[in-house]
Amino acid sequence: MATATQKNGGKTARKAPAAKTQDQRMKWWREAKFGLFIHWGLYALPAGTWKGKKIPGIGEWIQNRARIPVREYEQLAARFNPVDFDAKEWVQVAKDAGMKYLTITSKHHDGFALFKSEASDYNIVDATPFGRDVCAELARECRKAGIRLCFYYSQKQDWHHPEASGNTWDFDPAEQSFNQYMKDKGLPQIREILTQYGPIGLIWFDTPQDMTRAQSKKFVDAVYDAQPTCLVDGRAGHGIGDYESMGDNLIPPGRVDGDWETPATLNDTWGFKSYDTNWKSADGLIRRLVDIVSKGGNYLLNVGPTAKGVIPKASVTRLKKVGDWLKVNGEAIYGTSASPYPFEPGWGRMTAKGSRLYLHIFRWPGKQFVLHGLENKVKKAYLLADPKKKALACEQSVDEAAGLHTLQLALPARAPDKRASVVVLETAGAPVVDETLVQDGDGLVTLEAYSGEIRQPTGTAPLERGRFGTIEKWLNTRPRVTWQVKVAQPGTYDVNLLTQTESDGKWEGGHRAKVSVGRQTAVATTRKAEVRDNPRATSYLQDVVSPLGQIEVNRAGLVEVTLKMEKIVKKKGIGPKLRAVELTPA
Ligand code: FHN
């Protein structure tokens, strides 16, 4: 189980916010679930190309990646004239997407501010022909639309300032004084963005790098001093802040405790790049939103407007589709808490609110749906998409010997929404579940690496848990991974081993893997029988499926499944990167 390290973050560091309890301060954010991130600045002009060359990497990093001298890059300001910028339209994009807050780059790493600043004239009002304060205009429109305005602020990197970090091509790091930068620009600008635009929802610091704890604390205190109710994200440094910010585009596996958020891109860049068209599908965005919320997180989804001030149409249409889904299913998202189950079922995800459990079904089962492990009585079940809330027939039973609670639901043959259809279960009291890993109602048993227990003999090089919920560094044959799982349907199962590729597509087979349940074993050499998209990093990781044979499970109830590697090929030195073991009814 992952843990959001900031769950009490900020409590010791904070000076001012005593006026409200932490729960009161966090309330709007915990209910909001979905926000718009906007990366916008001078980098929208080159849009990924400098002097005729396509510069690899994310668009807002072009100055750094192409080592553009300050004196050259800052001339972009004289050409920055986003005449099509319309704050009302941008806020409407967020509103139509069902988003509740908007976080814009008030200053990104290039040091250029999107607000009127006395601390530095390298800002949109003083340095561009446009001359308008976009933060002021957005503040006005956000207020009217009931959207919380929040500011991203790059506190450590400022490639324009001689005393800040990140620009090693113009300035010598050995001669820099970050304290001087904080005094001259960093802290004054934090005060400006918190005093010029009314109440601010949160400040989104980023890349604290080697800041000292005292420096991080100064920034955070400056926020809390100016606006005690303003939240601070988890990238202020040193674990200070109100919630944890996950890695970019990183959706953690399983259950996550504490408050957290995943910042994510719609394509592969944050700032606009004219040739990045690798857009995520609306279906994928809806499922990611559900996935994140089912684990208790918030989804901060980014757009990168053009230099004219337009949010790309491809972004707007996708976001609108998410918003349309939320119009029907928002009750199962806003203000909900994480699924009471600590694992991810194969058929979809769950969220909860009061005495309601919401089943977000991705894999529609046809006319019958089975859920194991829910212990409360279900008073009524219905589809959220059904305006009449017609009750779905449901039956509950308990198999005492197997320790298994089963709910059977009658569903229409076709899904109301193929991306995610929500069934509401009104339960007697808040949902209570058996937290033991259990077979899915449709028969699949998924044993994900993140929920497996590593049995590591002493003296062997330790297996490691990877960012995407894998088990890695499996380079010797002595460790085992085990799962305790409740099986509902005894019978014969096909056993598959799923191992993950490297991001460059590298994968190594030829290992000998053995899965056992009691005396039953399935053992085979790993090979690429099938390749699937990795659900956590669809665009660049894949799962390789190796069939291991069959095993027989002869009774319902709790069983222990063990995975051992009997032989490991080490030619490429990566070993099997375990994603999951799957048991499918034969
Ligand atoms: O370097 C930045 C990047 O440009 C972008 O702003 C992302 C958004 O989370 N944050 C940093 C990298 O993690």
Side-chain angles (χ1 to χ4, degrees):
M1 189 188 301
T3 308
T5 49
Q6 319 296 135
K7 74 180 160 180
N8 298 314
K11 281 191 179 158
T12 48
R14 209 176 320 120
K15 279 205 288 206
K20 281 197 170 190
T21 65
Q22 184 65 354
D23 281 345
Q24 284 168 329
R25 295 176 69 245
M26 294 298 295
K27 191 168 179 287
W28 73 265
W29 186 88
R30 287 181 185 153
E31 280 168 9
K33 301 293 175 195
F34 195 26
L36 182 68
F37 213 175
I38 304 179
H39 276 67
W40 198 42
L42 299 180
Y43 40 79
L45 269 169
T49 303
W50 192 253
K51 295 189 175 163
K53 253 181 72 186
K54 287 187 174 167
I55 307 299
I58 40 186
E60 70 285 5
W61 271 72
I62 193 164
Q63 184 185 2
N64 181 299
R65 293 275 184 262
R67 295 283 184 268
I68 307 170
V70 165
R71 293 300 156 240
E72 222 177 298
Y73 184 85
E74 67 183 1
Q75 285 169 25
L76 291 171
R79 291 202 283 124
F80 194 67
N81 195 15
V83 286
D84 294 335
F85 167 72
D86 181 343
K88 193 169 174 192
E89 262 177 32
W90 285 19
V91 172
Q92 196 58 42
V93 168
K95 195 97 185 151
D96 289 346
M99 291 159 155
K100 305 290 185 188
Y101 57 113
L102 181 158
T103 305
I104 183 159
T105 47
S106 68
K107 187 204 78 167
H108 202 265
H109 306 331
D110 65 359
F112 179 76
L114 288 181
F115 57 95
K116 166 75 181 154
S117 172
E118 293 305 323
S120 159
D121 58 10
Y122 194 41
N123 71 71
I124 193 160
V125 177
D126 295 318
T128 74
F130 189 57
R132 279 159 53 189
D133 184 334
V134 302
C135 291
E137 293 181 27
L138 282 168
R140 210 165 26 245
E141 293 305 326
C142 280
R143 208 169 306 128
K144 280 197 226 155
I147 297 272
R148 299 253 175 180
L149 177 66
C150 310
F151 288 131
Y152 171 107
Y153 189 85
S154 172
Q155 80 276 31
K156 181 72 174 48
Q157 298 198 67
D158 187 315
W159 304 331
H160 187 261
H161 197 286
E163 306 296 343
S165 279
N167 182 342
T168 50
W169 56 99
D170 282 301
F171 311 118
D172 178 0
E175 287 179 7
Q176 289 177 313
S177 158
F178 187 66
N179 285 335
Q180 192 60 45
Y181 164 77
M182 286 174 66
K183 195 161 155 269
D184 291 351
K185 185 172 174 185
L187 292 171
Q189 285 202 329
I190 287 295
R191 273 176 230 118
E192 286 172 348
I193 54 179
L194 285 156
T195 50
Q196 295 176 175
Y197 307 105
I200 299 304
L202 62 91
I203 297 294
W204 216 96
F205 290 117
D206 201 6
T207 63
Q209 299 183 326
D210 60 350
M211 283 170 74
T212 64
R213 188 179 170 83
Q215 288 166 340
S216 295
K217 197 168 171 304
K218 266 200 181 143
F219 272 106
V220 175
D221 285 346
V223 175
Y224 294 149
D225 283 344
Q227 292 197 24
T229 54
C230 180
L231 305 177
V232 170
D233 78 328
R235 297 192 187 183
H238 300 274
I240 307 171
D242 291 294
Y243 64 87
E244 181 171 10
S245 175
M246 291 294 163
D248 295 347
N249 287 304
L250 188 78
I251 304 180
R255 184 202 271 168
V256 186
D257 293 330
D259 296 306
W260 60 276
E261 176 183 65
T262 291
T265 50
L266 270 170
N267 46 356
D268 294 329
T269 181
W270 304 87
F272 180 67
K273 264 184 108 170
S274 60
Y275 49 92
D276 182 342
T277 53
N278 191 23
W279 302 104
K280 293 171 181 77
S281 69
D283 301 13
L285 298 172
I286 291 168
R287 289 185 177 188
R288 282 181 183 83
L289 172 66
V290 173
D291 187 18
I292 290 169
V293 175
S294 80
K295 295 165 184 169
N298 279 21
Y299 193 20
L300 184 63
L301 189 52
N302 182 72
V303 294
T306 66
K308 283 259 177 277
V310 176
I311 299 177
K313 194 153 175 261
S315 305
V316 176
T317 50
R318 281 163 178 78
L319 292 178
K320 174 78 172 53
K321 285 186 185 162
V322 182
D324 290 345
W325 182 87
L326 277 165
K327 274 196 193 122
V328 177
N329 299 293
E331 182 196 314
I333 296 289
Y334 305 121
T336 59
S337 46
S339 165
Y341 291 86
F343 51 84
E344 302 170 7
W347 51 264
R349 294 288 181 268
M350 287 172 264
T351 54
K353 197 192 294 179
S355 53
R356 285 179 185 187
L357 182 66
Y358 300 99
L359 316 176
H360 302 249
I361 305 179
F362 300 162
R363 196 168 74 203
W364 195 253
K367 287 190 167 174
Q368 204 201 33
F369 177 82
V370 175
L371 177 74
H372 296 296
L374 177 64
E375 296 183 357
N376 321 52
K377 185 174 160 26
V378 172
K379 300 206 286 196
K380 187 177 174 187
Y382 55 91
L383 286 161
L384 204 48
D386 176 5
K388 293 192 183 127
K389 299 187 175 175
K390 193 170 148 259
L392 301 168
C394 88
E395 217 182 285
Q396 287 179 277
S397 59
V398 188
D399 176 342
E400 298 287 357
L404 209 63
H405 291 253
T406 300
L407 168 83
Q408 292 190 26
L409 262 183
L411 294 179
R414 289 185 49 197
D417 191 318
K418 69 175 176 27
R419 302 161 304 183
S421 303
V422 179
V423 173
V424 186
L425 301 181
E426 288 184 357
T427 49
V432 175
V433 304
D434 176 352
E435 293 196 5
T436 318
L437 187 62
V438 72
Q439 178 170 29
D440 277 342
D442 58 7
L444 184 69
V445 179
T446 311
L447 307 166
E448 295 244 19
Y450 73 80
S451 62
E453 190 186 325
I454 300 174
R455 305 260 170 100
Q456 180 80 50
T458 45
T460 53
L463 305 191
E464 288 177 14
R465 293 192 185 271
R467 289 190 330 134
F468 292 100
T470 47
I471 290 180
E472 308 180 357
K473 301 275 161 66
W474 202 328
L475 293 167
N476 74 78
T477 53
R478 290 183 58 212
R480 284 173 296 148
V481 175
T482 62
W483 292 266
Q484 308 288 326
V485 59
K486 280 191 181 171
V487 173
Q489 305 167 18
T492 307
Y493 286 86
D494 291 323
V495 181
N496 281 331
L497 178 73
L498 273 63
T499 49
Q500 189 179 288
T501 60
E502 301 296 295
S503 52
D504 59 4
K506 255 195 220 152
W507 178 84
E508 186 157 47
H511 316 295
R512 199 171 163 75
K514 181 167 101 182
V515 167
S516 37
V517 175
R519 291 209 180 129
Q520 296 275 326
T521 58
V523 52
T525 299
T526 58
R527 64 185 172 90
K528 209 179 257 191
E530 186 194 330
V531 176
R532 298 185 199 156
D533 269 349
N534 179 289
R536 304 214 170 82
T538 7
S539 51
Y540 62 100
L541 294 177
Q542 291 182 309
D543 293 335
V544 176
V545 182
S546 303
L548 300 185
Q550 291 191 328
I551 50 166
E552 194 79 26
V553 179
N554 44 29
R555 61 175 180 83
L558 194 65
V559 298
E560 181 170 281
V561 181
T562 302
L563 170 68
K564 230 181 149 318
M565 302 308 298
E566 292 195 327
K567 182 185 142 201
I568 294 168
V569 179
K570 294 183 197 166
K571 267 187 250 153
K572 294 184 186 160
I574 39 183
K577 237 181 201 180
L578 177 66
R579 256 268 301 125
V581 170
E582 264 181 15
L583 310 185
T584 320

